[in-house]
Amino acid sequence: MVIEGAAEVLQDRRDEREVLERLLEGVRGGQSRVLVVTGEPWVGKTALVEAAISSASGFRVLRAVGVESEMELAFAALQQLCAPMLDRLDRLPGPQQDALRVAFGLSAGDPPDRFLVGLAVLSLLSEVAEDQPLLCVLDDAQWLDRASSQALGFVARRLLAESVAVIFGTRDPGKEFEGLPKLAVDGLPDADASVLLGSVLGVPLDERVRERLVAETRGNPLALLELPRGLTPAELAGGFGLLDALGLSGRIEGSFRARLAGLPADTQRLLLVAAAEPLGDPVLMWQAAGRLGIGVQAAADTDGLLSIGTLVTFRHPLVRSSVYRGASPSERQAVHRALADATHPKVDPDRRAWHLAHATPGVEEAVACELERSAGRARGRGGVAAVAAFLERATELTPDPARRAERALAAAQANHQAGAPDAALRLLRAARTGPLDELQQARADVLDGQIAFASSRGGDAARLLLDAAKRLEPLDPLLARETYAEALAATMYAGRLERGDGVRAVAVAVRAAKPAGASSGPLSAADLLLDGQALLITEGPRTATPILKRALSAFRGDGLSNDELLRWLWLASVTAIHLWDDESWREVSDRYVQLARDAGALTVLPLALDYCAVCRVCAGEFASADAMADEARAISVAISNPDVSTSRPSRSFLAGWRGRQAEALRLIEASDRDATRRGEGYLIGVDRYASAVLYNGLGRYELALTAAQQAHEYPREMATSNWALAEQIEAATRTGKAEPAARALAHLAETTRTSGTDWALGIEARSRALMSEGEIAEGLYSEAIERLRRTSVRVELARCHLLYGEWLRRENRRLDARQQLRSAHELFSQFGMEAFAERARVELEATGEHARKRTVETRDDLTPQEAQICRLAAERATNQEIAAQLFISPSTVDYHLRKAFRKLGVNSRRQLKQHVIQPTARAEAAARKP
């Protein structure tokens, strides 16, 4: 690039310009595009983006700039970007409107989930782009406040068909932008760099000096333009005055500081005011300048480093940082004091408090209190990272040791919630050095355990949480119970990878502890659930089942708050599985998903979707389970969480039940690896169960028996160990091993008899039939089919038809066998259980009947998301309602529907229903045909 006055013009960059031109063309064609432009300071990122803006004819352009000093103010950059669009706010769904209004401080309300804010921004962009293509530019994205960068990262991953382009310019892409398309901008080629260097030099340059400058700057245009400034012609000619080999940014900043030193003193002070004022507000800048005695003449000549118009802008962020870092601490404090005095305490109290904090050299309780109030307001807007920043600075300014420790503990908790474990641990250590009271010490212990659990599901988390819960017992019984639940979760997740028998230790402690509401009336649903789980672990199902049934009944009722439900429904789902209660399992898991959707709790939703997906697998609704697992994966990616969807239970379940051996073993192996790395031993048990199902379907019974026994090695791992008993019985009877079959049946009956549900008794009857002969076996098979037909666990019903048919064939009752095997084959084929379907086909052909080949339906061509959108559309949901439920934009819904319509050969929503209903009803109807 070359410089003409203050304007920048691209000299080369043909490849980079083509990338940006293709981006704009894609958006003109109705698609969304995202690009993260990366590179070191002043390598040409801004010039490229400016060129793209110049080429964006017909686009509406929105722009926001990350400011280093605003990184702690929640949603500051997002509000800057969205301000011109807020006139469309009333067109968004109500929850999204509320989320944005609260996040931007336009109204009061409960703190919104930051990803619900992101969804609202996505909808807002989609709404605006209906009128004309939209180009959103985020400069200096490395300095975006964390709440904004998380929300914008979410938006970038959910854009698809909105005629929106989003360009991030950043030095370092960071976690929030991982996985997004990138354009790395490097220095100019040597030849172009040499030409650019020559364009700003007025004297001949020694060739070796020229080569050194080009090499050391790595072709960075700004360095080539700025570094020669201040060097005499003689120094340049011989190279004697060249700078030492500092970092490139440091050398560029040094060049700017040299230019600043030549400016009048008042001009330097004015630039410092502008550098410390993040909004670029000229009125605020001049008001602060006036308090420092700086007149307007100070702006007469800033050497092109500062422009003052409707906004105050520096030539480059490095100029801002050079000005700010080059000032002494006392100079910066004076400027921040003036800015605090100029900032209206009611209009912008948080920035005023932040300026006051930077203006205070020592400790000052009054300022610390201001920051604490700002933290409260930030919490109300959902800006957890801002809460942490305000409280941390308040801690530093607090003179009283006890108050200081209290604030350090609060700052540590906020940092943990914001996903900053290192800062949380540092502040936690600081808090422990102060005089904490007994309750504060206990809360610190809880936080220790929570941080350990977040970093690794195994390890010391359970022990730390259990010790904290015991310490809390006499101090805060309600918090103690919640901490016991967290300790139980930690031990359940750790499973077989935990050292010792931690789950029993937690259960014993829960039983010894007094329930939080015991003295004031009946036990709460949460207390019933926690006490019931403790009884299940210590006394077994006979004692625990009655109380657990009461707990499930309470969680299916209407007496609990949404917060309580979101906190406890995971355990209610696990309990329903333990009790073989398919009806409650479906209801509570569906409710868990819906509540997470309604609350915009995207950090919770992937887990809720997973419980729901496993339920759908058991119902034979593989397409629905696939869609849920796919959505869980997409949301994990969109919120920048590690994508562990391949090692979630639903993925292993689907793989095992589908029976595609190579795919299943690859998924299970990856899941085992990830589970071991994260300390989630329960997933290893799930994987062994999935392996047992896979091998039973394939008829490889020795391998199935080994896998089932391994699945049951740790019987307290969530709930799949009970299911593995049925797999063990089938595999053991098929290999002629009576002892492991009998042992498994005895364990199985302990849970099925106390449960008494049709699912439980149907599985027990089927398992006993495998170990019986003659009329007894036939009666048990008939009972199992009749009971399982009354449940939603259709995969087990299909297997019962198969086992009964296999038994009938061995009894030489071929006609009776055909009916059962035909039912099994139809169900397996419709569900997509390929290994079991093949097993049924072979058996059916052995009876003399050729199995009907499955008709491949057009519905199978739909992607999981297309199938899910079609299902919702068939249920008469509008595009906006579907978008809100699936955390995408209405334009993306329309895009997927158009694709699905073409695949299905339909042209209206009324025609969708016959194509997207679940296969179970059709399969059962087909199976009943003679």
Side-chain angles (χ1 to χ4, degrees):
M1 74 182 64
V2 297
I3 304 295
E4 296 180 359
E8 300 173 7
V9 182
L10 290 171
Q11 175 177 309
D12 187 51
R13 304 295 191 191
R14 184 179 298 105
D15 293 343
E16 292 89 341
R17 290 202 308 262
E18 286 179 0
V19 171
L20 290 164
E21 287 164 6
R22 287 196 300 270
L23 176 143
L24 295 175
E25 282 306 308
V27 175
R28 289 189 178 99
Q31 295 293 298
S32 296
R33 293 288 187 270
V34 176
L35 189 64
V36 182
V37 182
T38 65
E40 63 186 11
W42 263 86
V43 75
K45 302 187 300 292
T46 301
L48 281 166
V49 172
E50 292 291 351
I53 292 173
S54 300
S55 301
S57 58
F59 281 71
R60 180 176 182 181
V61 179
L62 299 175
R63 197 163 190 170
V65 180
V67 179
E68 193 172 10
S69 58
E70 281 217 315
M71 289 180 71
E72 312 302 346
L73 297 179
F75 301 113
L78 200 65
Q79 187 167 11
Q80 188 185 153
L81 181 74
C82 293
M85 302 185 290
L86 292 182
D87 58 326
R88 308 284 188 104
L89 197 56
D90 58 355
R91 302 189 188 185
L92 303 188
Q96 295 180 29
Q97 285 188 45
D98 295 341
L100 269 192
R101 291 185 192 280
V102 173
F104 293 166
L106 302 175
S107 62
D110 293 332
D113 184 282
R114 58 194 181 280
F115 300 115
L116 182 59
V117 173
L119 177 61
V121 173
L122 176 64
S123 298
L124 196 59
L125 295 177
S126 179
E127 173 67 34
V128 171
E130 288 288 328
D131 297 337
Q132 67 183 117
L134 186 60
L135 173 59
C136 301
V137 175
L138 288 304
D139 284 332
D140 294 314
Q142 73 275 1
W143 288 332
L144 295 177
D145 62 276
R146 189 169 185 203
S148 292
S149 62
Q150 286 178 328
L152 288 166
F154 173 84
V155 169
R157 290 178 177 86
R158 302 303 274 181
L159 285 166
L160 178 63
E162 292 81 9
S163 294
V164 174
V166 180
I167 300 176
F168 298 96
T170 181
R171 300 178 189 179
D172 178 5
K175 178 184 175 184
E176 280 74 18
F177 306 129
E178 280 180 4
L180 296 175
K182 292 182 179 62
L183 173 63
V185 182
D186 299 318
L188 295 171
D190 287 356
D192 292 328
S194 185
V195 170
L196 179 59
L197 181 60
S199 70
V200 294
L201 293 174
V203 297
L205 187 62
D206 184 285
E207 190 60 31
R208 289 170 300 175
V209 174
R210 182 191 298 271
E211 289 175 359
R212 180 183 170 190
L213 279 171
V214 168
E216 288 187 348
T217 60
R218 299 187 299 279
N220 183 292
L222 179 65
L224 290 164
L225 295 169
E226 290 294 332
L227 290 183
R229 292 176 183 264
L231 298 177
T232 67
E235 289 170 331
L236 279 170
F240 304 113
L242 294 180
L243 297 172
D244 293 333
L246 301 171
L248 187 56
S249 294
R251 285 188 282 167
I252 297 173
E253 287 194 20
S255 174
F256 282 134
R257 281 196 288 271
R259 291 173 64 181
L260 288 167
L263 298 177
D266 273 2
T267 303
Q268 292 183 43
R269 294 170 69 211
L270 180 66
L271 263 66
L272 180 56
V273 174
E277 196 286 296
L279 299 179
D281 183 345
V283 174
L284 186 59
M285 183 195 73
W286 283 119
Q287 287 177 343
R291 284 171 166 79
L292 293 168
I294 302 170
V296 294
Q297 69 279 3
D301 182 12
T302 62
D303 194 19
L305 299 177
L306 188 72
S307 297
I308 304 173
T310 55
L311 281 177
V312 179
T313 57
F314 283 91
R315 182 183 173 198
H316 186 270
L318 280 178
V319 180
R320 179 193 292 272
S321 59
S322 298
V323 170
Y324 193 80
R325 292 173 187 170
S328 68
S330 60
E331 289 170 332
R332 289 198 293 264
Q333 288 161 10
V335 163
H336 280 295
R337 173 63 66 179
L339 284 165
D341 292 342
T343 301
H344 197 289
K346 291 185 178 178
V347 174
D348 202 349
D350 297 336
R351 283 193 179 86
R352 180 178 180 275
W354 198 244
H355 284 306
L356 281 174
H358 285 285
T360 305
V363 293
E364 178 58 62
E365 178 61 23
V367 179
C369 287
E370 286 286 335
L371 289 168
E372 202 167 39
R373 284 190 283 271
S374 290
R377 286 187 290 268
R379 192 181 300 279
R381 294 193 298 272
V384 182
V387 174
F390 283 127
L391 290 175
E392 186 168 351
R393 182 62 178 139
T395 300
E396 295 167 358
L397 293 172
T398 303
D400 177 66
R403 194 82 176 97
R404 186 184 184 91
E406 180 184 0
R407 283 173 174 154
L409 179 58
Q413 289 171 324
N415 271 287
H416 168 60
Q417 292 167 354
D422 292 340
L425 286 171
R426 173 174 50 78
L427 285 158
L428 190 56
R429 286 194 296 270
R432 290 190 187 280
T433 63
L436 295 175
D437 62 29
E438 191 65 22
L439 178 58
Q440 290 169 334
Q441 288 282 5
R443 284 173 50 210
D445 291 345
V446 172
L447 183 55
D448 237 345
Q450 290 171 333
I451 294 170
F453 183 60
S455 61
S456 173
R457 298 305 196 216
D460 296 327
R463 178 186 58 77
L464 291 169
L465 289 165
L466 177 58
D467 291 345
K470 290 176 179 177
R471 190 170 188 174
L472 279 165
E473 270 295 318
L475 306 169
D476 188 334
L478 182 58
L479 182 56
R481 297 291 280 183
E482 292 175 359
T483 307
Y484 277 127
E486 289 186 74
L488 184 63
T491 59
M492 283 182 162
Y493 272 98
R496 63 189 64 200
L497 295 180
E498 186 181 41
R499 296 184 293 273
D501 194 1
V503 68
R504 184 172 182 84
V506 174
V508 168
V510 168
R511 291 192 60 195
K514 185 178 180 182
S519 61
S520 57
L523 294 182
S524 68
D527 280 328
L528 287 170
L529 191 59
L530 189 58
D531 287 349
Q533 282 290 335
L535 279 171
L536 183 65
I537 293 163
T538 56
E539 301 294 329
R542 185 182 299 278
T543 306
T545 296
I547 190 170
L548 286 174
K549 285 184 174 180
R550 286 170 57 199
L552 273 184
S553 177
F555 274 95
R556 293 177 67 180
D558 298 324
L560 299 175
S561 70
N562 288 350
D563 284 345
E564 287 177 293
L565 290 168
L566 282 172
R567 188 180 302 120
W568 290 95
L569 277 176
W570 73 272
L571 189 55
S573 296
V574 171
T575 299
I577 297 170
H578 269 301
L579 297 183
W580 303 87
D581 186 346
D582 57 299
E583 184 179 329
S584 292
W585 181 20
R586 183 145 187 156
E587 183 175 328
V588 297
S589 62
D590 282 354
R591 191 174 191 183
Y592 195 16
V593 169
Q594 196 57 53
L595 280 170
R597 289 194 193 285
D598 293 344
L602 269 68
T603 51
V604 173
L605 184 56
L607 177 64
L609 283 165
D610 205 62
Y611 280 116
C612 213
V614 173
C615 184
R616 295 297 192 273
V617 172
C618 292
E621 300 172 11
F622 287 11
S624 179
D626 230 350
M628 290 178 178
D630 189 65
E631 185 183 357
R633 182 201 63 80
I635 289 172
S636 294
V637 171
I639 63 177
S640 300
N641 273 359
D643 180 21
V644 295
S645 59
T646 56
S647 57
R648 287 188 178 280
S650 58
R651 288 295 187 193
S652 298
F653 268 68
L654 272 170
W657 284 99
R658 276 189 169 131
R660 300 169 186 167
Q661 184 173 351
E663 176 187 336
L665 292 178
R666 186 172 61 252
L667 277 170
I668 289 168
E669 183 181 350
S671 175
D672 277 355
R673 247 189 343 262
D674 290 345
T676 301
R677 175 176 55 82
R678 293 194 309 274
E680 294 184 347
Y682 89 98
L683 271 175
I684 297 175
V686 171
D687 293 338
R688 299 287 73 73
Y689 167 74
S691 298
V693 172
L694 172 70
Y695 288 128
N696 270 332
L698 293 167
R700 302 180 67 180
Y701 299 113
E702 288 285 357
L703 291 173
L705 178 58
T706 300
Q709 289 173 323
Q710 290 172 345
H712 193 65
E713 279 177 347
Y714 193 90
R716 299 190 183 105
E717 270 178 345
M718 297 300 193
T720 50
S721 60
N722 288 337
W723 295 349
L725 292 168
E727 302 303 323
Q728 181 172 327
I729 292 165
E730 180 174 341
T733 56
R734 288 293 188 253
T735 54
K737 297 177 180 176
E739 192 278 330
R743 188 173 65 249
L745 181 60
H747 285 300
L748 180 68
E750 287 181 22
T751 65
T752 53
R753 291 292 175 87
T754 54
S755 166
T757 66
D758 280 322
W759 179 13
L761 297 177
I763 292 294
E764 183 185 340
R766 189 186 78 190
S767 299
R768 289 187 183 280
L770 282 165
M771 301 171 64
S772 304
E773 296 178 352
E775 292 182 0
I776 294 176
E778 182 158 21
L780 287 168
Y781 278 126
S782 297
E783 178 190 347
I785 288 172
E786 187 59 34
R787 286 188 179 280
L788 291 171
R789 188 175 281 137
R790 293 197 290 264
T791 74
S792 62
V793 191
R794 296 322 214 192
V795 294
E796 299 291 11
L797 172 64
R799 289 181 68 179
C800 201
H801 282 300
L802 173 63
L803 292 170
Y804 188 21
E806 289 175 336
W807 181 84
L808 287 167
R809 189 181 73 77
R810 289 196 300 273
E811 295 289 309
N812 292 316
R813 295 166 56 182
R814 296 201 306 174
L815 291 178
D816 292 337
R818 285 176 187 172
Q819 182 179 352
Q820 297 299 325
L821 293 170
R822 190 185 306 123
S823 296
H825 186 262
E826 290 285 352
L827 288 168
F828 290 144
S829 298
Q830 290 284 357
F831 296 157
M833 294 169 60
E834 296 176 11
F836 281 103
E838 177 61 14
R839 185 172 140 188
R841 185 192 67 78
V842 171
E843 288 284 337
L844 190 57
E845 293 194 350
T847 69
E849 178 174 313
H850 182 68
R852 286 195 294 265
K853 191 174 182 180
R854 182 189 177 202
T855 302
V856 179
E857 300 177 41
T858 313
R859 185 178 60 83
D860 293 338
D861 294 333
L862 300 180
T863 66
Q865 189 166 48
E866 287 167 356
Q868 193 173 19
I869 288 170
C870 285
R871 179 180 60 78
L872 292 170
E875 294 169 358
R876 299 185 179 182
T878 66
N879 281 13
Q880 194 172 59
E881 289 168 343
I882 297 170
Q885 180 163 331
L886 300 184
F887 298 97
I888 54 180
S889 74
S891 297
T892 295
V893 173
D894 183 65
Y895 170 80
H896 283 304
L897 276 177
R898 282 187 276 111
K899 286 180 64 181
F901 277 20
R902 286 196 298 272
K903 290 180 180 181
L904 297 172
V906 302
N907 52 31
S908 74
R909 292 180 181 232
R910 285 194 300 273
Q911 297 173 306
L912 280 177
K913 195 166 187 178
Q914 60 183 309
H915 291 276
V916 298
I917 60 172
Q918 290 294 342
T920 305
R922 292 200 303 271
E924 291 179 344
R928 286 193 291 270
K929 292 180 181 178

